[in-house]
Amino acid sequence: MTHRQILEALSGLLLGMFVAILSSTIVSNALPRIIADLDGTQSAYSWVVTAALLAMTASTPLWGKLADLASKKFLVQLALVIYVAGSIVAGLSQSTGMLIACRVVQGIGVGGLSALAQIILAAMISPRERGRYSGYLGATFAVATVGGPILGGVITDTSWLGWRWCFYIGIPFAILALVVLQKTLRLPVVRRKVSIDWRGAVLMSASVSLLLIWVTLAGESYAWLSWQTFAMTGGAIALGLAFLWVETWVPEPVLPLRLFRNRTITLASLASLFVGIAMFGATVFLSQYFQLARGETPTKSGLLTIPMIMGIFLASTISGWVITRTGRWKVWLVAGGLLLTSGLSLLGTMRYDTPYWHIAVFMAALGTGIGMMMQNLVLCTQNQVDPADLGAASSAVAFFRSLGGAVGVSALGAVLGSRISGYMRDGMTDLGIPPARAASEAGGDGTAIPNLAELPVPVRTVVESSYGHGLADIFLYAAPAALLAFVMVACIKEVALRTRSGLQQAGSPERRETPLKARV
């Protein structure tokens, strides 16, 4: 395929990726307003994000396995349809519970779009050339990431639109992506009997869900050391062991354990887990910092995160081009790990009155580290597997990144509520407000989302200071995860990138994509 043919084939795919990322980022600056309107709590705030990440985590290996067995074109179009259905109902949500359920449906669709984009790219393009085109994926990611919060903020601040349009706005892009994919994407289909590991998928989802529910409720609904803790963690471990046992004997495991005999795949997957904790667990709360610690509007909050987004954009694009020209990829992973750890550590020093230019530099370092690591962890994994396992291996990296994100958002969100509660209690005491009255001071207990405009100036200062200090603690807690990711990538052995694509290695003849006719 010529460069032009590849770009034509990727056009619909990039549009689908844009929709996937937009759905995650557009609600970030709207969430404080959404949760306040739906009378939600800090736990609900975390779960609106965690639910989508958990659905992505559980569905990504299934999408990857299906991509090895059936039509990739049909699957990516199906993922778009699922995303549209979830978005329509999410915009009609009347409670945080309904919104969280809709986010699960959205997450299933986004999981398919994210996994299949990497898989289709690997099928068409050799690892040596893939860095160049991975840069386009990185650029799409950056545009959607920077555009999403700004667009979400504008929509939320526009009286005749409102936050519900944050869910509707991606639907036209998804429909356009469906049309473009139908016209441009041509891939051969290798037909064989489809066997889906539903047992493994259910056990994995149940194990992760139980663990996240425990993290969210522990310390609030019951003590960390209690019978509920032992029951839920024990149940999660038992379900996890059952999942591993099932994966050893099913004919088509959702997560083939034999892949992890390869040191590079194991280390890259673990690094993706810790990158997910650091990336999602920290960046999700940036909008809360700007809106609740600095009193900015949703629109301005999106604009203030541009240094981080530019770091992601430039790092992913430049590293992709350089890797294509030189074939060297490990240096980018190591440098990315260092920058990610440094950025999170520096953000851990911020307070509600920290000069913005300091925060901008810290966010740029964080974004640059993410841009260097995210796509290249997938690249080094794809370079190590046979074409038949391309989908499973690619989705394994995405699975661990989403898992880390879900765990990070849930755990750090639970810790955040506790930290803010403590800082507010101390601040209110200093103002002479008894602890019994602190909970009534517009979210003074750290569980409700306060409305800063309605607070007296002294109380508002306490709330802003509490959120600034509490959110900085979250970045500090995420920094060790980034450090572990750095250690993992430092241990990966650099292997020369292959010069043949997945389809060329498989020896498949090129022909038009045909409809899916396989027994599931």
Side-chain angles (χ1 to χ4, degrees):
M1 298 175 69
T2 65
H3 177 62
R4 179 176 178 178
Q5 289 174 323
I6 292 174
L7 287 181
E8 288 177 353
L10 287 179
S11 57
L13 201 62
L14 294 175
L15 197 54
M17 272 291 292
F18 177 79
V19 169
I21 304 303
L22 189 70
S23 73
S24 301
T25 60
I26 197 170
V27 299
S28 60
N29 284 327
L31 265 181
R33 186 76 57 83
I34 293 172
I35 299 302
D37 286 353
L38 297 180
D39 296 324
T41 64
Q42 183 66 49
S43 294
Y45 185 104
S46 300
W47 267 99
V48 170
V49 179
T50 301
L53 288 173
L54 180 59
M56 286 176 60
T57 302
S59 64
T60 292
L62 282 174
W63 289 111
K65 176 53 64 178
L66 284 170
D68 288 333
L69 304 175
S71 165
K72 298 175 181 63
K73 178 177 178 177
F74 171 82
L75 291 173
V76 74
Q77 290 177 315
L78 176 62
L80 281 166
V81 171
I82 293 173
Y83 163 78
V84 169
S87 298
I88 292 173
V89 183
L92 302 173
S93 298
Q94 300 300 312
S95 66
T96 54
M98 182 178 177
L99 178 59
I100 290 169
C102 294
R103 291 287 287 172
V104 170
V105 178
Q106 276 191 311
I108 293 172
V110 171
L113 293 170
S114 301
L116 291 165
Q118 296 284 357
I119 293 166
I120 293 173
L121 191 70
M124 293 192 300
I125 306 163
S126 70
R128 179 62 186 265
E129 293 294 322
R130 202 173 301 150
R132 177 184 185 184
Y133 297 96
S134 293
Y136 294 129
L137 285 180
T140 302
F141 178 89
V143 170
T145 306
V146 70
I150 296 173
L151 184 60
V154 171
I155 291 172
T156 303
D157 286 337
T158 303
S159 59
W160 52 274
L161 287 175
W163 59 262
R164 296 183 186 277
W165 278 92
C166 291
F167 299 102
Y168 300 145
I169 197 69
I171 295 174
F173 293 102
I175 295 173
L176 180 60
L178 277 170
V179 175
V180 174
L181 282 166
Q182 184 63 32
K183 290 181 175 294
T184 60
L185 188 60
R186 299 288 183 267
L187 290 175
V189 178
V190 180
R191 295 183 178 279
R192 59 191 179 104
K193 182 180 178 181
V194 177
S195 177
I196 303 300
D197 177 21
W198 297 113
R199 296 183 193 87
V202 171
L203 288 170
M204 176 187 65
S205 303
S207 176
V208 175
S209 299
L210 192 57
L211 185 65
L212 295 182
I213 292 171
W214 165 67
V215 169
T216 303
L217 299 179
E220 182 178 329
S221 300
Y222 47 81
W224 285 97
L225 293 177
S226 62
W227 69 266
Q228 293 96 331
T229 289
F230 292 113
M232 298 179 80
T233 55
I237 293 171
L239 289 168
L241 292 174
F243 165 70
L244 294 176
W245 176 72
V246 168
E247 298 304 276
T248 61
W249 58 265
V250 292
E252 295 284 356
V254 67
L255 194 65
L257 300 182
R258 56 183 169 77
L259 293 177
F260 298 99
R261 297 172 187 165
N262 184 297
R263 178 181 174 183
T264 296
I265 295 176
T266 301
L267 290 172
S269 297
L270 288 174
S272 293
L273 174 72
F274 296 122
V275 168
I277 292 174
M279 180 175 69
F280 289 104
T283 57
V284 157
F285 298 105
L286 270 175
S287 61
Q288 269 195 308
Y289 171 76
F290 285 117
Q291 291 184 49
L292 298 178
R294 301 181 78 97
E296 306 292 356
T297 65
T299 302
K300 191 171 181 180
S301 296
L303 293 171
L304 291 175
T305 60
I306 286 180
M308 181 183 71
I309 308 308
M310 289 304 298
I312 297 174
F313 172 75
L314 293 175
S316 59
T317 304
I318 293 173
S319 66
W321 279 92
V322 175
I323 288 171
T324 296
R325 296 178 70 88
T326 64
R328 305 297 299 272
W329 47 267
K330 182 176 177 178
V331 63
W332 295 99
L333 290 176
V334 173
L338 282 173
L339 285 170
L340 184 61
T341 305
S342 301
L344 288 170
S345 300
L346 291 169
L347 284 169
T349 65
M350 67 184 183
R351 296 294 182 266
Y352 79 104
D353 55 354
T354 300
Y356 172 71
W357 74 268
H358 289 183
I359 299 173
V361 173
F362 304 160
M363 287 192 298
L366 175 64
T368 303
I370 293 172
M372 288 181 177
M373 297 191 76
M374 193 167 55
Q375 301 291 345
N376 294 326
L377 283 170
V378 178
L379 174 65
C380 72
T381 299
Q382 292 173 340
N383 189 52
Q384 294 282 313
V385 297
D386 295 328
D389 291 324
L390 199 55
S394 301
S395 62
V397 177
F399 163 78
F400 281 102
R401 184 172 63 238
S402 299
L403 175 62
V407 171
V409 171
S410 182
L412 294 177
V415 172
L416 177 63
S418 174
R419 301 298 291 171
I420 291 175
S421 176
Y423 291 135
M424 281 191 181
R425 185 168 54 249
D426 294 342
M428 296 295 183
T429 301
D430 291 340
L431 289 179
I433 299 176
R437 284 180 50 201
S440 65
E441 295 289 342
D445 60 349
T447 61
I449 304 298
N451 186 340
L452 296 180
E454 297 177 354
L455 301 179
V457 174
V459 174
R460 174 171 177 162
T461 301
V462 170
V463 171
E464 289 179 340
S465 176
S466 300
Y467 270 90
H469 200 168
L471 287 160
D473 290 346
I474 294 303
F475 288 96
L476 278 181
Y477 296 152
L483 181 61
L484 288 173
F486 165 74
V487 173
M488 296 299 168
V489 298
C491 295
I492 294 177
K493 181 180 179 181
E494 187 165 23
V495 177
L497 296 177
R498 296 172 181 172
T499 57
R500 302 179 69 206
S501 69
L503 292 177
Q504 288 173 329
Q505 294 176 62
S508 301
E510 282 195 47
R511 62 180 186 272
R512 292 175 63 89
E513 183 97 341
T514 53
L516 174 65
K517 293 180 180 178
R519 183 165 60 87
V520 179

